[in-house]
Amino acid sequence: MPKQDTTRRLRSQIISQDVNSFHGLQTIDDYDTTRADASATNLQQAYQAMLLQQQTEIEKLTVYRAAIDAARQAEWEFHNAVLAMKEVVRGQYGSDSDQAQAVGLKKKSNRKRPTRRKSIAIAS
């Protein structure tokens, strides 16, 4: 049997088949084995542990997604506050001031002037 890669998640189809097999085992009254890892008690404990861990995962994912939303909202609020501050600096000190340059705006005098293109006459 090839070595199992336990670092990757099992597909939901495989988990579903395993759960169906486990539920099918519960209909067998005289199931008994000497293998401890295949005992009904061990299977029941493993199934309950899996359900508990899946529930914990979902709860943490929900908290994680809420944290992502809160962080994104805070980032946008900060960005909008910075944009408002830049507008105030531009209005208070002018768009060609050193103060405007200090907050990350480009001085009006440092902008390149648009240049006219010379049109090339096409002889026909």
Side-chain angles (χ1 to χ4, degrees):
M1 179 176 212
K3 187 175 178 183
Q4 294 177 340
D5 182 9
T6 58
T7 60
R8 66 173 176 79
R9 299 289 299 258
L10 290 171
R11 294 189 325 258
S12 60
Q13 180 183 10
I14 293 173
I15 297 292
S16 180
Q17 289 171 349
D18 289 346
V19 169
N20 289 339
S21 296
F22 172 66
H23 290 311
L25 174 69
Q26 292 175 330
T27 64
I28 302 172
D29 294 329
D30 59 347
Y31 176 76
D32 191 26
T33 182
T34 56
R35 288 186 58 178
D37 61 335
S39 70
T41 305
N42 187 54
L43 286 164
Q44 180 66 35
Q45 289 172 350
Y47 177 66
Q48 291 301 322
M50 179 190 70
L51 291 178
L52 180 64
Q53 291 302 319
Q54 286 175 338
Q55 179 181 354
T56 302
E57 176 188 26
I58 290 170
E59 290 169 356
K60 288 184 179 188
L61 278 174
T62 302
V63 170
Y64 172 72
R65 288 181 186 131
I68 287 174
D69 290 343
R72 183 181 62 244
Q73 183 65 33
E75 289 166 356
W76 275 104
E77 287 173 6
F78 174 70
H79 177 67
N80 288 334
V82 168
L83 291 178
M85 175 268 303
K86 286 181 179 182
E87 286 179 21
V88 169
V89 168
R90 189 181 304 127
Q92 199 170 12
Y93 299 102
S95 57
D96 199 33
S97 66
D98 291 334
Q99 291 86 349
Q101 189 175 15
V103 296
L105 296 172
K106 197 172 220 180
K107 278 184 158 183
K108 195 172 189 178
S109 60
N110 289 346
R111 294 180 190 261
K112 287 188 175 181
R113 304 271 185 245
T115 56
R116 289 185 118 179
R117 289 186 177 181
K118 293 185 179 183
S119 58
I120 301 172
I122 301 176
S124 30

